[in-house]
Amino acid sequence: MIAAGAAAVVYAADTVTPPASGPGAQAPADSKEADVLKTCKVPPPARGGGGRGPARGPASAGASAAPKDYTVTEIPGVIAAGQKWTVVFEATGNNADGIIGTKDGGLLIAQNTNSDVIKLDKNGKATVAYPGLNTSGAVSMNAKGELFVNNRGLNASIEELAPKRKVFANKYNDDSFDCIGGVLNDLTAAKNGGVYFTFGGLFYADPTGKVTKQGENLRTNGIILSRDEKTLYVTNGNTVAALDVQPDGSLTNQREFAKLEGGGNGDGTTIDSEGRLYVTTSAPGVQVIAADGKYLGMIPTPRDVISAAFSGKDKKTLYVVGWDAANLHDYVMSIPMLSQGFKGRAK
């Protein structure tokens, strides 16, 4: 855990502006996307699909670069009143997203623009753990230690990083993932070897990499499995949907699990040892939802936040990724918690 007041680590190799094509450019912003889409048997729908994508660039310019004032109030059993966020890492460009905790109390951080996954250790030292990716957007590790990343660049894919580095899934109905349209967003890895992911809608890649679409009329973003992996939670605009996981990994019984407060849409999601959900929203802050769907309160943040995970000593520190749209700058921030992250998985 990084002590309060510790100096933030700035990653020296960060890149500010994504290239026009290739790794570092998200698929919808890639100058060569049109050529790939010509090969689609089923063309993608009109542009959409969520994700930070191009909205993190000049389209968001003009947003305030200064952090906002905030006051943390008590949420019983979750966080004490008066706690403060500490910046533990920062990087220029779209270079922090899709975080998960590591066993030593650090983090793995996906970097879109640099196309790396970096490791931030418990002392705040940043090193490249997995280089040479294709616009990496988020990472997830299942209970068996299998690590996956979603690649948001053209010829999008889910890639297995450990124990063996290989393409896990990149086809849907025999088409390229790019034919789905939008941005490959977030993922959560299941103990059966499959991966659930968001790509405008909700999808499941089974342990062989075969992809099927799940759910109906979902505007998805953040995604997380319950502690027992019998329920999948996914953000759906300003609500959180729940679906039941079947023995074959498919999902049924879609229903509204919770409504987010304050007008913000849901983004990154994590879970604690008591089954509470933590959802980053554009409010801005982290909304806390009990295991029964009851809204418990908001942990306000000084910046807009898009990803969340527990890590640190005894997994009692909450980490989020905040960003400054005006200056294309990312901040990983931490705050001490009363609650404890779920220890059965990395996130």
Side-chain angles (χ1 to χ4, degrees), residues 69-342:
D69 292 331
Y70 66 96
T71 300
V72 174
T73 57
E74 179 189 16
I75 302 176
V78 173
I79 192 168
Q83 295 290 356
K84 296 291 184 182
W85 292 96
T86 299
V87 176
V88 298
F89 171 86
E90 55 185 283
T92 301
N94 189 347
N95 276 318
D97 203 350
I99 59 175
I100 63 171
T102 56
K103 289 183 178 180
D104 65 355
L107 294 172
L108 290 177
I109 303 170
Q111 296 193 307
N112 273 232
T113 311
N114 286 352
S115 290
D116 297 328
V117 169
I118 62 170
K119 167 72 183 297
L120 187 72
D121 71 17
K122 62 181 179 180
N123 298 314
K125 180 181 179 182
T127 56
V128 176
Y130 299 95
L133 301 172
N134 182 18
T135 319
S136 48
V139 285
S140 183
M141 181 182 289
N142 65 22
K144 298 188 295 183
E146 295 169 335
L147 178 65
F148 300 87
V149 65
N150 60 356
N151 286 314
R152 294 174 175 169
L154 199 60
N155 300 307
S157 68
I158 296 173
E159 184 175 343
E160 182 181 314
L161 296 178
K164 182 179 180 180
R165 190 162 171 175
K166 62 182 180 180
V167 174
F168 178 73
N170 64 356
K171 298 288 185 182
Y172 173 60
N173 288 342
D174 295 323
D175 265 338
S176 162
F177 267 7
D178 301 293
C179 299
I180 295 173
V183 176
L184 176 52
N185 203 330
D186 204 356
L187 74 168
T188 187
K191 61 187 177 183
N192 72 347
V195 176
Y196 298 92
F197 61 98
T198 55
F199 203 153
L202 174 61
F203 296 83
Y204 173 59
D206 73 12
T208 71
K210 182 181 178 181
V211 174
T212 52
K213 191 170 185 179
Q214 306 290 321
E216 296 181 355
N217 301 316
L218 289 167
R219 295 179 294 120
T220 59
N221 200 326
I223 186 170
I224 197 77
L225 283 160
S226 63
R227 295 165 297 169
D228 61 8
E229 303 199 6
K230 292 182 178 180
T231 306
L232 182 100
Y233 303 103
V234 63
T235 61
N236 183 27
N238 65 349
T239 68
V240 177
L243 301 95
D244 295 336
V245 179
Q246 301 304 296
D248 65 354
S250 62
L251 302 171
T252 62
N253 189 28
Q254 178 180 320
R255 68 245 183 225
E256 183 177 302
F257 174 70
K259 189 169 182 65
L260 301 169
E261 303 290 335
N265 288 331
D267 199 325
T269 309
T270 191
I271 195 167
D272 73 11
S273 61
E274 300 298 317
R276 291 176 287 236
L277 297 186
Y278 296 73
V279 183
T280 63
T281 62
S282 52
V286 182
Q287 301 198 23
V288 186
I289 302 166
D292 62 0
K294 179 183 178 182
Y295 179 79
L296 298 178
M298 165 85 83
I299 305 172
T301 54
R303 298 186 181 276
D304 293 344
V305 287
I306 50 90
S307 183
F310 279 91
S311 194
K313 185 179 180 181
D314 208 25
K315 218 167 184 179
K316 297 193 74 171
T317 301
L318 182 65
Y319 291 83
V320 297
V321 175
W323 61 291
D324 169 8
N327 294 311
L328 300 179
H329 204 79
D330 288 314
Y331 300 84
V332 178
M333 303 179 289
S334 70
I335 197 166
M337 302 294 289
L338 299 174
S339 58
Q340 180 184 56
F342 175 53

